[in-house]
């Protein structure tokens, strides 16, 4: 009887300390993945200066797995990197502008800068911005995001 309680304590200790143990549901707290509601809200999020990982999805079995991975990654990189999920059937205009035909896909938006006024400016009150967009083609896990951010030079933490 003592062995089972020792085993249970050992497993609890393993689950609480091992960062990459994936066989047990993790307590991630409240969801850190933002849900897309409008392009205006998305632009406001970009203006905060943080990189934004955007998952363009449709409902499928793979999307459920992707949602879990996004939740884990969002919890790990919060508050330095924002994660957002766009349901393409609800917001087809935003997804069509990305010109992709296979779903789900992930893109990372970062470094918004004010763009020059090339061409004809129709309204002087409109400010144009350019944003770096990088397609994500690494492993769908927090580890994959970490490696991707390292290679792209995106800072995942900031000194205090």
């Amino acid at each position: 009887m003592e062995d089972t309680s020792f085993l249970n304590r050992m497993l609890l200790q393993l689950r609480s300390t091992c960062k990459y143990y994936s066989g047990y549901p993790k307590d991630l707290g409240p969801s850190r993945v933002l849900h897309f509601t409008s392009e205006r809200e998305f632009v406001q999020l970009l203006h905060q200066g943080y990189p934004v990982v955007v998952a363009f999805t449709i409902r499928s079995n793979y999307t459920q797995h992707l949602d879990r991975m996004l939740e884990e990654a969002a919890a790990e990189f919060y508050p330095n990197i924002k994660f957002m999920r766009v349901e393409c059937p609800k917001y087809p205009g935003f997804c069509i502008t990305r010109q992709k035909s296979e779903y789900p896909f992930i893109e990372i938006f970062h470094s918004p800068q004010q763009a020059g006024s090339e061409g004809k400016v129709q309204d002087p009150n409109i400010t144009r911005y350019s944003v770096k967009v990088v397609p994500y083609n690494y492993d769908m896990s927090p580890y994959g995001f970490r490696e991707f951010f390292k290679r792209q030079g995106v800072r995942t933490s900031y000194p205090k």
Side-chain angles (χ1 to χ4, degrees), residues 42-43 46-47 50-52 98 108-115 128-134:
F42 177 67
V43 170
L46 283 174
H47 283 298
Y50 298 110
V52 181
R98 305 310 317 149
I108 298 171
F109 296 76
H110 63 95
S111 304
Q113 297 173 352
Q114 189 167 344
R128 299 185 77 137
Y129 286 89
S130 66
V131 178
K132 292 181 185 174
V133 180
V134 182

Side-chain angles (χ1 to χ4, degrees), residues 10 17 59 86 92 102 122 145:
M10 187 175 73
T17 59
R59 284 283 171 206
V86 180
E102 296 179 9
Q122 295 182 359
F145 281 110

Side-chain angles (χ1 to χ4, degrees), residues 43-95:
V43 170
Q44 289 173 349
L45 184 64
L46 283 174
H47 283 298
Q48 292 177 4
Y50 298 110
V52 181
V53 175
V54 182
F56 296 87
T57 64
I58 55 176
R59 284 283 171 206
S60 69
N61 290 336
Y62 182 70
T63 305
Q64 292 173 355
H65 172 73
L66 177 65
D67 286 343
R68 285 193 301 271
M69 291 298 112
L70 282 175
E71 289 290 344
E72 286 183 32
E76 182 171 331
F77 296 112
Y78 180 83
N80 301 317
I81 297 176
K82 306 294 184 184
F83 285 76
M84 179 177 273
R85 183 173 180 274
V86 180
E87 289 187 38
C88 288
K90 285 185 182 177
Y91 305 99
F94 188 66
C95 295

